[in-house]
PDB file of all heavy atoms in Angstrom:
ATOM      1  N   ASN A 348      31.594  20.169 -29.618  1.00  0.00           N
ATOM      2  CA  ASN A 348      30.752  19.063 -29.969  1.00  0.00           C
ATOM      3  C   ASN A 348      29.952  19.393 -31.204  1.00  0.00           C
ATOM      4  O   ASN A 348      29.835  18.587 -32.147  1.00  0.00           O
ATOM      5  CB  ASN A 348      29.773  18.727 -28.868  1.00  0.00           C
ATOM      6  CG  ASN A 348      30.347  17.773 -27.840  1.00  0.00           C
ATOM      7  OD1 ASN A 348      31.393  17.176 -28.127  1.00  0.00           O
ATOM      8  ND2 ASN A 348      29.672  17.554 -26.741  1.00  0.00           N
ATOM      9  N   ALA A 349      29.341  20.602 -31.190  1.00  0.00           N
ATOM     10  CA  ALA A 349      28.527  21.011 -32.381  1.00  0.00           C
ATOM     11  C   ALA A 349      29.318  20.867 -33.664  1.00  0.00           C
ATOM     12  O   ALA A 349      28.795  20.369 -34.653  1.00  0.00           O
ATOM     13  CB  ALA A 349      27.981  22.425 -32.158  1.00  0.00           C
ATOM     14  N   LYS A 351      32.067  19.101 -34.105  1.00  0.00           N
ATOM     15  CA  LYS A 351      32.440  17.709 -34.328  1.00  0.00           C
ATOM     16  C   LYS A 351      31.367  16.849 -34.938  1.00  0.00           C
ATOM     17  O   LYS A 351      31.658  15.996 -35.759  1.00  0.00           O
ATOM     18  CB  LYS A 351      32.886  17.114 -32.928  1.00  0.00           C
ATOM     19  CG  LYS A 351      34.000  16.199 -32.969  1.00  0.00           C
ATOM     20  CD  LYS A 351      34.601  15.982 -31.568  1.00  0.00           C
ATOM     21  CE  LYS A 351      33.673  15.584 -30.504  1.00  0.00           C
ATOM     22  NZ  LYS A 351      34.314  15.292 -29.192  1.00  0.00           N
ATOM     23  N   TYR A 352      30.142  17.102 -34.540  1.00  0.00           N
ATOM     24  CA  TYR A 352      29.050  16.247 -35.019  1.00  0.00           C
ATOM     25  C   TYR A 352      28.297  16.897 -36.139  1.00  0.00           C
ATOM     26  O   TYR A 352      27.086  16.626 -36.296  1.00  0.00           O
ATOM     27  CB  TYR A 352      28.176  15.833 -33.886  1.00  0.00           C
ATOM     28  CG  TYR A 352      28.943  15.058 -32.846  1.00  0.00           C
ATOM     29  CD1 TYR A 352      29.304  15.588 -31.581  1.00  0.00           C
ATOM     30  CD2 TYR A 352      29.383  13.725 -33.136  1.00  0.00           C
ATOM     31  CE1 TYR A 352      30.092  14.869 -30.676  1.00  0.00           C
ATOM     32  CE2 TYR A 352      30.143  13.006 -32.172  1.00  0.00           C
ATOM     33  CZ  TYR A 352      30.488  13.579 -31.014  1.00  0.00           C
ATOM     34  OH  TYR A 352      31.270  12.869 -30.138  1.00  0.00           O
ATOM     35  N   ASP A 375      23.262  23.485 -34.152  1.00  0.00           N
ATOM     36  CA  ASP A 375      23.982  23.012 -35.263  1.00  0.00           C
ATOM     37  C   ASP A 375      23.070  22.325 -36.261  1.00  0.00           C
ATOM     38  O   ASP A 375      21.931  22.010 -35.972  1.00  0.00           O
ATOM     39  CB  ASP A 375      25.102  22.094 -34.801  1.00  0.00           C
ATOM     40  CG  ASP A 375      24.546  20.804 -34.168  1.00  0.00           C
ATOM     41  OD1 ASP A 375      23.882  20.048 -34.790  1.00  0.00           O
ATOM     42  OD2 ASP A 375      24.902  20.576 -32.929  1.00  0.00           O
ATOM     43  N   ILE A 378      24.290  15.788 -37.200  1.00  0.00           N
ATOM     44  CA  ILE A 378      23.704  14.517 -37.275  1.00  0.00           C
ATOM     45  C   ILE A 378      22.608  14.313 -36.283  1.00  0.00           C
ATOM     46  O   ILE A 378      21.730  13.396 -36.387  1.00  0.00           O
ATOM     47  CB  ILE A 378      24.773  13.373 -37.079  1.00  0.00           C
ATOM     48  CG1 ILE A 378      25.427  13.508 -35.728  1.00  0.00           C
ATOM     49  CG2 ILE A 378      25.749  13.346 -38.155  1.00  0.00           C
ATOM     50  CD1 ILE A 378      26.327  12.346 -35.356  1.00  0.00           C
ATOM     51  N   GLY A 379      22.494  15.197 -35.238  1.00  0.00           N
ATOM     52  CA  GLY A 379      21.431  15.039 -34.266  1.00  0.00           C
ATOM     53  C   GLY A 379      21.651  13.784 -33.371  1.00  0.00           C
ATOM     54  O   GLY A 379      22.540  13.038 -33.531  1.00  0.00           O
ATOM     55  N   ILE A 380      20.684  13.693 -32.436  1.00  0.00           N
ATOM     56  CA  ILE A 380      20.795  12.527 -31.428  1.00  0.00           C
ATOM     57  C   ILE A 380      19.436  11.953 -31.291  1.00  0.00           C
ATOM     58  O   ILE A 380      18.414  12.690 -31.152  1.00  0.00           O
ATOM     59  CB  ILE A 380      21.220  13.118 -30.044  1.00  0.00           C
ATOM     60  CG1 ILE A 380      22.486  13.972 -30.181  1.00  0.00           C
ATOM     61  CG2 ILE A 380      21.452  11.980 -29.040  1.00  0.00           C
ATOM     62  CD1 ILE A 380      22.676  14.952 -29.020  1.00  0.00           C
ATOM     63  N   ILE A 388      23.507  11.034 -22.939  1.00  0.00           N
ATOM     64  CA  ILE A 388      24.731  11.652 -23.430  1.00  0.00           C
ATOM     65  C   ILE A 388      25.509  12.372 -22.319  1.00  0.00           C
ATOM     66  O   ILE A 388      26.709  12.663 -22.519  1.00  0.00           O
ATOM     67  CB  ILE A 388      24.454  12.586 -24.616  1.00  0.00           C
ATOM     68  CG1 ILE A 388      23.328  13.578 -24.238  1.00  0.00           C
ATOM     69  CG2 ILE A 388      24.174  11.807 -25.868  1.00  0.00           C
ATOM     70  CD1 ILE A 388      23.159  14.630 -25.283  1.00  0.00           C
ATOM     71  N   TYR A 393      29.962   8.075 -22.063  1.00  0.00           N
ATOM     72  CA  TYR A 393      28.894   7.619 -22.996  1.00  0.00           C
ATOM     73  C   TYR A 393      29.090   8.274 -24.311  1.00  0.00           C
ATOM     74  O   TYR A 393      29.122   9.500 -24.478  1.00  0.00           O
ATOM     75  CB  TYR A 393      27.551   7.949 -22.395  1.00  0.00           C
ATOM     76  CG  TYR A 393      26.433   7.280 -23.218  1.00  0.00           C
ATOM     77  CD1 TYR A 393      26.082   5.946 -22.917  1.00  0.00           C
ATOM     78  CD2 TYR A 393      25.771   7.967 -24.243  1.00  0.00           C
ATOM     79  CE1 TYR A 393      25.118   5.333 -23.714  1.00  0.00           C
ATOM     80  CE2 TYR A 393      24.799   7.340 -24.981  1.00  0.00           C
ATOM     81  CZ  TYR A 393      24.459   6.009 -24.723  1.00  0.00           C
ATOM     82  OH  TYR A 393      23.530   5.393 -25.440  1.00  0.00           O
ATOM     83  N   GLN A 394      29.211   7.468 -25.387  1.00  0.00           N
ATOM     84  CA  GLN A 394      29.357   8.040 -26.708  1.00  0.00           C
ATOM     85  C   GLN A 394      28.390   7.289 -27.623  1.00  0.00           C
ATOM     86  O   GLN A 394      28.142   6.092 -27.442  1.00  0.00           O
ATOM     87  CB  GLN A 394      30.778   7.770 -27.215  1.00  0.00           C
ATOM     88  CG  GLN A 394      31.827   8.660 -26.481  1.00  0.00           C
ATOM     89  CD  GLN A 394      33.218   8.472 -27.145  1.00  0.00           C
ATOM     90  OE1 GLN A 394      33.742   7.442 -27.098  1.00  0.00           O
ATOM     91  NE2 GLN A 394      33.694   9.610 -27.704  1.00  0.00           N
ATOM     92  N   VAL A 395      27.841   8.019 -28.567  1.00  0.00           N
ATOM     93  CA  VAL A 395      27.022   7.391 -29.506  1.00  0.00           C
ATOM     94  C   VAL A 395      27.896   7.093 -30.750  1.00  0.00           C
ATOM     95  O   VAL A 395      28.603   7.949 -31.214  1.00  0.00           O
ATOM     96  CB  VAL A 395      25.874   8.380 -30.008  1.00  0.00           C
ATOM     97  CG1 VAL A 395      24.880   7.673 -30.905  1.00  0.00           C
ATOM     98  CG2 VAL A 395      25.213   8.961 -28.776  1.00  0.00           C
ATOM     99  N   GLN A 404      37.864  10.653 -31.753  1.00  0.00           N
ATOM    100  CA  GLN A 404      36.399  11.045 -31.633  1.00  0.00           C
ATOM    101  C   GLN A 404      36.031  11.455 -30.258  1.00  0.00           C
ATOM    102  O   GLN A 404      34.857  11.552 -29.903  1.00  0.00           O
ATOM    103  CB  GLN A 404      35.578   9.889 -32.086  1.00  0.00           C
ATOM    104  CG  GLN A 404      35.684   9.528 -33.557  1.00  0.00           C
ATOM    105  CD  GLN A 404      34.758   8.386 -33.928  1.00  0.00           C
ATOM    106  OE1 GLN A 404      33.638   8.353 -33.509  1.00  0.00           O
ATOM    107  NE2 GLN A 404      35.338   7.470 -34.700  1.00  0.00           N
ATOM    108  N   GLY A 405      36.996  11.732 -29.404  1.00  0.00           N
ATOM    109  CA  GLY A 405      36.699  12.237 -28.094  1.00  0.00           C
ATOM    110  C   GLY A 405      36.653  11.117 -27.036  1.00  0.00           C
ATOM    111  O   GLY A 405      36.806   9.918 -27.398  1.00  0.00           O
ATOM    112  N   LEU A 406      36.478  11.525 -25.775  1.00  0.00           N
ATOM    113  CA  LEU A 406      36.568  10.536 -24.692  1.00  0.00           C
ATOM    114  C   LEU A 406      35.162  10.224 -24.153  1.00  0.00           C
ATOM    115  O   LEU A 406      35.005   9.366 -23.307  1.00  0.00           O
ATOM    116  CB  LEU A 406      37.372  11.086 -23.485  1.00  0.00           C
ATOM    117  CG  LEU A 406      38.825  11.262 -23.641  1.00  0.00           C
ATOM    118  CD1 LEU A 406      39.405  11.975 -22.493  1.00  0.00           C
ATOM    119  CD2 LEU A 406      39.491   9.897 -23.761  1.00  0.00           C
ATOM    120  N   GLY A 407      34.157  10.982 -24.623  1.00  0.00           N
ATOM    121  CA  GLY A 407      32.808  10.768 -24.098  1.00  0.00           C
ATOM    122  C   GLY A 407      32.652  11.450 -22.751  1.00  0.00           C
ATOM    123  O   GLY A 407      31.868  10.964 -21.925  1.00  0.00           O
ATOM    124  N   ILE A 408      33.395  12.561 -22.588  1.00  0.00           N
ATOM    125  CA  ILE A 408      33.379  13.114 -21.220  1.00  0.00           C
ATOM    126  C   ILE A 408      33.016  14.607 -21.261  1.00  0.00           C
ATOM    127  O   ILE A 408      32.667  15.218 -20.207  1.00  0.00           O
ATOM    128  CB  ILE A 408      34.756  12.904 -20.580  1.00  0.00           C
ATOM    129  CG1 ILE A 408      34.568  12.305 -19.165  1.00  0.00           C
ATOM    130  CG2 ILE A 408      35.575  14.130 -20.521  1.00  0.00           C
ATOM    131  CD1 ILE A 408      35.902  11.825 -18.634  1.00  0.00           C
ATOM    132  N   GLY A 409      32.986  15.172 -22.506  1.00  0.00           N
ATOM    133  CA  GLY A 409      32.745  16.598 -22.624  1.00  0.00           C
ATOM    134  C   GLY A 409      31.379  17.050 -22.042  1.00  0.00           C
ATOM    135  O   GLY A 409      31.349  18.008 -21.270  1.00  0.00           O
ATOM    136  N   LEU A 410      30.361  16.267 -22.302  1.00  0.00           N
ATOM    137  CA  LEU A 410      29.021  16.625 -21.788  1.00  0.00           C
ATOM    138  C   LEU A 410      28.899  16.364 -20.281  1.00  0.00           C
ATOM    139  O   LEU A 410      28.111  17.058 -19.661  1.00  0.00           O
ATOM    140  CB  LEU A 410      27.942  15.967 -22.592  1.00  0.00           C
ATOM    141  CG  LEU A 410      27.720  16.498 -24.016  1.00  0.00           C
ATOM    142  CD1 LEU A 410      26.543  15.827 -24.668  1.00  0.00           C
ATOM    143  CD2 LEU A 410      27.468  18.018 -24.027  1.00  0.00           C
ATOM    144  N   SER A 434      21.009  19.743 -33.660  1.00  0.00           N
ATOM    145  CA  SER A 434      20.691  19.804 -32.242  1.00  0.00           C
ATOM    146  C   SER A 434      20.718  21.232 -31.724  1.00  0.00           C
ATOM    147  O   SER A 434      21.375  22.097 -32.382  1.00  0.00           O
ATOM    148  CB  SER A 434      21.756  19.008 -31.435  1.00  0.00           C
ATOM    149  OG  SER A 434      21.991  17.763 -31.983  1.00  0.00           O
ATOM    150  N   PHE A 436      21.432  23.094 -27.970  1.00  0.00           N
ATOM    151  CA  PHE A 436      21.672  23.069 -26.533  1.00  0.00           C
ATOM    152  C   PHE A 436      21.384  24.490 -26.052  1.00  0.00           C
ATOM    153  O   PHE A 436      21.969  25.455 -26.587  1.00  0.00           O
ATOM    154  CB  PHE A 436      23.126  22.676 -26.250  1.00  0.00           C
ATOM    155  CG  PHE A 436      23.431  21.249 -26.537  1.00  0.00           C
ATOM    156  CD1 PHE A 436      23.581  20.771 -27.810  1.00  0.00           C
ATOM    157  CD2 PHE A 436      23.553  20.339 -25.475  1.00  0.00           C
ATOM    158  CE1 PHE A 436      23.835  19.427 -28.062  1.00  0.00           C
ATOM    159  CE2 PHE A 436      23.782  19.010 -25.721  1.00  0.00           C
ATOM    160  CZ  PHE A 436      23.894  18.550 -26.982  1.00  0.00           C
TER     161      PHE A 436
HETATM  162  P1  ADP B 759      32.483  12.973 -26.953  1.00  0.00           P
HETATM  163  O1  ADP B 759      33.869  13.128 -26.490  1.00  0.00           O
HETATM  164  O2  ADP B 759      32.183  11.693 -27.571  1.00  0.00           O
HETATM  165  O3  ADP B 759      32.098  14.141 -27.825  1.00  0.00           O
HETATM  166  P2  ADP B 759      30.592  14.071 -25.124  1.00  0.00           P
HETATM  167  O4  ADP B 759      30.332  13.788 -23.643  1.00  0.00           O
HETATM  168  O5  ADP B 759      30.939  15.468 -25.409  1.00  0.00           O
HETATM  169  O6  ADP B 759      31.632  13.057 -25.636  1.00  0.00           O
HETATM  170  O7  ADP B 759      29.255  13.739 -25.900  1.00  0.00           O
HETATM  171  C1  ADP B 759      28.624  12.432 -25.697  1.00  0.00           C
HETATM  172  C2  ADP B 759      27.933  11.988 -26.960  1.00  0.00           C
HETATM  173  O8  ADP B 759      26.851  12.905 -27.239  1.00  0.00           O
HETATM  174  C3  ADP B 759      28.803  12.085 -28.188  1.00  0.00           C
HETATM  175  O9  ADP B 759      29.463  10.835 -28.389  1.00  0.00           O
HETATM  176  C4  ADP B 759      27.800  12.391 -29.313  1.00  0.00           C
HETATM  177  O10 ADP B 759      27.320  11.185 -29.876  1.00  0.00           O
HETATM  178  C5  ADP B 759      26.690  13.085 -28.615  1.00  0.00           C
HETATM  179  N1  ADP B 759      26.660  14.498 -28.959  1.00  0.00           N
HETATM  180  C6  ADP B 759      27.058  15.514 -28.169  1.00  0.00           C
HETATM  181  N2  ADP B 759      26.898  16.722 -28.782  1.00  0.00           N
HETATM  182  C7  ADP B 759      26.284  16.486 -29.934  1.00  0.00           C
HETATM  183  C8  ADP B 759      25.832  17.300 -31.060  1.00  0.00           C
HETATM  184  N3  ADP B 759      25.933  18.618 -31.007  1.00  0.00           N
HETATM  185  N4  ADP B 759      25.262  16.648 -32.088  1.00  0.00           N
HETATM  186  C9  ADP B 759      25.148  15.345 -32.114  1.00  0.00           C
HETATM  187  N5  ADP B 759      25.586  14.453 -31.152  1.00  0.00           N
HETATM  188  C10 ADP B 759      26.168  15.060 -30.079  1.00  0.00           C
END
Side-chain angles (χ1 to χ4, degrees):
N348 272 350
K351 216 160 54 173
Y352 298 107
D375 63 61
I378 57 173
I380 308 159
I388 51 174
Y393 189 83
Q394 290 186 296
V395 186
Q404 291 181 45
L406 289 172
I408 228 169
L410 286 184
S434 311
F436 289 76

